[in-house]
Amino acid sequence: MIAQGVHLVNAFANQRIHVKWCCDIMQDNLDYVVNNYSPEQITKDYKDVLNDSEVDGVMILTTHDIRLKIITEAANAGKHIYVEKPMSTTPEESYKIMKVIRKTGVKLVVGFNRRCAPAIEDAVAIYEKQRANPVDAPWRYNRLGGEHTPLREEEATMIMMRINDDLKSFKAYAMDEMIGEGSLIGELCHFADLACFILKKEPIKVYAEGWSRINQVLTLQFEDLSVVNIFETAVGSFDHPKELIEIYHKGVSVVVDHFLQLRVGGREDIYKKNYPFLSDPYPNITEGEGTNLYINKVRERNRVVTNECDFGFPSVNKGHYKMLDRFVDCILVGAESPCNELDGARATLITLKARESIRKGLPIKISSDEYDYYFAF
Ligand SMILES: NC(=O)c1ccc[n+]([C@@H]2O[C@H](COP(=O)([O-])OP(=O)(O)OC[C@H]3O[C@@H](n4cnc5c(N)ncnc54)[C@H](O)[C@@H]3O)[C@@H](O)[C@H]2O)c1
């Protein structure tokens, strides 16, 4: 699904990528790529790809239950790796993946693509600017007085993330405890990673309520007293946008509304910015901006679907193309991975600890030595 919907389009569109092989164990999927793209070769055996000395990098887009084996063999064959999220689903898998990546020296990029979404990049830049040089807007209250005794928690960042998913949009295996492992492990890793990426601080504790399969609320505490709240529901409706991310720090609020609109409070230099749709089957619907425009387009989509046939949602830029392009930079110019094996292991551990918290009904401590391993080579 993610290959056909996103990565094949992006890889074939990227002038710096030559897609030599497409691999899948299912003939229907190989037929799809042959009919829609022009890979030089197709195969049902991924070893054919790894044995090809012309191949510089591979994208591993399978379900996560079979990643470790393919990553290990790809790294040992000297291939750089882009792997879809989650990178791993146990600490043991994380350990083995990190070890083989460090030992072979290949680059690994975990597909936490939201790091590269234009609206997120802008939000992080504004947040970091405020953190480096906190400036009060001239209209901010100052009843504490200019020289007030500082509060420790004034240094913190508060973040809220809302994910409005729909259970009926998940494939059945995503809810299977032994394959997809539910939305907590399979999906919330995106947001656990995003929290770490925004803050650049270590998480120290997680408390979660809800269920592992769907419907979770996570409260993550970081080493600098920052708190991140991640709210996921799968019992709402896609009539409304999926993701809202709000960052608060030192008198500034930065809001990313479904990657379509950035709203900033507390700064003089920026107030609002709109982002274009990635694809828009409803260009005739123009009323509103940001997520209001989105909702109007989705209403039109629903009318078409109800009366005629299945038709797509307008899509937004979640950073997939840029993440892949940065993978190319890793290969061609030796750039740092935009999301490496340590980032992948950290996100996995956070979601595993959140699941433990849900099941025990207790807050769970997170220690960096549980994912930032030492390797005795
Ligand atoms: N980053 C994102 O936005 C995003 C979105 C959706 C899914 N994903 C992730 O992408 C991954 C794939 O999800 P999906 O929904 O596309 O799954 P999918 O089931 O549609 O696709 C997985 C494919 O892997 C193939 N496959 C399985 N074993 C193989 C093997 N040994 N060799 C070659 N091919 C093999 C399957 O035949 C299938 O075509 C999941 O881990 C999911 O979490 C990421």
Side-chain angles (χ1 to χ4, degrees):
M1 186 181 74
I2 190 72
Q4 291 186 11
V6 175
H7 292 305
L8 280 164
V9 184
N10 289 345
F12 277 94
N14 192 314
Q15 296 295 310
R16 300 193 296 163
I17 297 176
H18 175 74
V19 182
K20 183 154 185 194
W21 292 88
C22 284
C23 171
D24 202 293
I25 49 176
M26 290 167 70
Q27 187 60 44
D28 282 356
N29 291 335
L30 292 177
D31 292 344
Y32 175 88
V33 286
V34 169
N35 292 333
N36 291 278
Y37 298 93
S38 49
E40 250 183 57
Q41 310 259 16
I42 54 167
T43 180
K44 288 185 178 170
D45 184 354
Y46 68 85
K47 289 191 175 65
D48 290 336
V49 185
L50 302 185
N51 287 334
D52 184 337
S53 61
E54 275 197 335
V55 171
D56 298 307
V58 294
M59 299 183 75
I60 302 174
L61 312 173
T62 63
T63 43
H64 32 267
D65 49 330
I66 48 166
R67 297 257 171 75
L68 173 63
K69 186 172 154 47
I70 308 180
I71 290 175
T72 305
E73 290 180 36
N76 281 324
K79 310 300 184 197
H80 301 288
I81 298 163
Y82 184 112
V83 63
E84 259 305 344
K85 57 79 200 168
M87 177 190 84
S88 50
T89 51
T90 64
E92 293 72 24
E93 272 183 12
S94 295
Y95 174 89
K96 287 178 181 166
I97 291 169
M98 287 174 74
K99 191 167 186 174
V100 75
I101 297 300
R102 302 271 169 93
K103 196 168 161 204
T104 56
V106 300
K107 295 276 172 60
L108 179 124
V109 174
V110 185
F112 288 131
N113 45 277
R114 281 160 183 73
R115 289 176 172 229
C116 289
I120 295 288
E121 288 183 326
D122 287 344
V124 170
I126 293 163
Y127 163 62
E128 287 184 345
K129 198 168 163 188
Q130 182 71 3
R131 195 159 80 172
N133 180 26
V135 181
D136 276 352
W139 54 82
R140 190 181 183 193
Y141 279 122
N142 194 10
R143 290 178 179 149
L144 288 174
E147 299 299 318
H148 75 272
T149 310
L151 305 169
R152 255 193 91 199
E153 51 280 32
E154 262 187 285
E155 301 303 314
T157 303
M158 301 295 289
I159 299 181
M160 191 208 76
M161 302 183 184
R162 182 218 63 213
I163 303 106
N164 165 35
D165 226 319
D166 183 350
L167 170 64
K168 293 194 176 181
S169 75
F170 284 99
K171 292 183 190 142
Y173 73 69
M175 294 297 124
D176 186 313
E177 177 90 9
M178 295 298 152
I179 308 175
E181 307 195 43
S183 67
L184 177 52
I185 305 296
E187 278 296 306
L188 259 66
C189 52
H190 264 308
F191 303 93
D193 173 72
L194 195 56
C196 298
F197 173 67
I198 294 169
L199 291 172
K200 314 249 175 340
K201 299 285 178 194
E202 294 302 322
I204 57 169
K205 193 162 65 174
V206 59
Y207 178 63
E209 283 288 356
W211 291 266
S212 181
R213 289 195 289 251
I214 56 167
N215 297 348
Q216 310 97 19
V217 184
L218 274 57
T219 304
L220 261 176
Q221 190 170 345
F222 283 76
E223 58 183 331
D224 66 341
L225 302 190
S226 294
V227 180
V228 178
N229 185 261
I230 305 175
F231 173 100
E232 192 263 5
T233 167
V235 292
S237 164
F238 278 163
D239 285 4
H240 287 163
K242 184 166 170 261
E243 296 173 27
L244 176 73
I245 292 156
E246 302 190 350
I247 307 167
Y248 300 89
H249 183 71
K250 293 256 170 144
V252 159
S253 49
V254 186
V255 176
V256 175
D257 204 349
H258 200 51
F259 307 96
L260 287 171
Q261 192 172 63
L262 176 75
R263 296 188 290 271
V264 183
R267 285 196 69 96
E268 287 188 284
D269 51 353
I270 175 165
Y271 161 57
K272 191 170 69 177
K273 181 174 172 184
N274 289 321
Y275 298 83
F277 288 89
L278 196 60
S279 69
D280 177 10
Y282 315 99
N284 51 323
I285 306 295
T286 56
E287 189 194 323
E289 64 170 11
T291 47
N292 284 328
L293 179 58
Y294 177 85
I295 287 166
N296 291 333
K297 287 179 187 289
V298 171
R299 265 177 75 88
E300 175 62 7
R301 179 252 172 202
N302 295 348
R303 190 191 63 76
V304 174
V305 168
T306 307
N307 295 322
E308 297 163 32
C309 56
D310 195 9
F311 218 68
F313 279 90
S315 69
V316 297
N317 191 344
K318 296 184 185 172
H320 292 97
Y321 184 90
K322 183 156 182 196
M323 198 75 169
L324 177 58
D325 202 52
R326 290 186 66 183
F327 176 52
V328 179
D329 286 338
C330 292
I331 298 173
L332 293 186
V333 297
E336 289 295 309
S337 168
C339 186
N340 65 21
E341 62 281 2
L342 177 61
D343 299 313
R346 187 195 295 109
T348 294
L349 191 80
I350 293 171
T351 54
L352 289 172
K353 295 266 177 173
R355 183 164 70 184
E356 191 183 341
S357 173
I358 283 177
R359 290 184 172 164
K360 287 187 173 154
L362 295 169
I364 306 289
K365 188 180 167 206
I366 300 170
S367 307
S368 61
D369 63 353
E370 293 176 279
Y371 57 88
D372 192 359
Y373 297 110
Y374 172 80
F375 298 106
F377 289 120

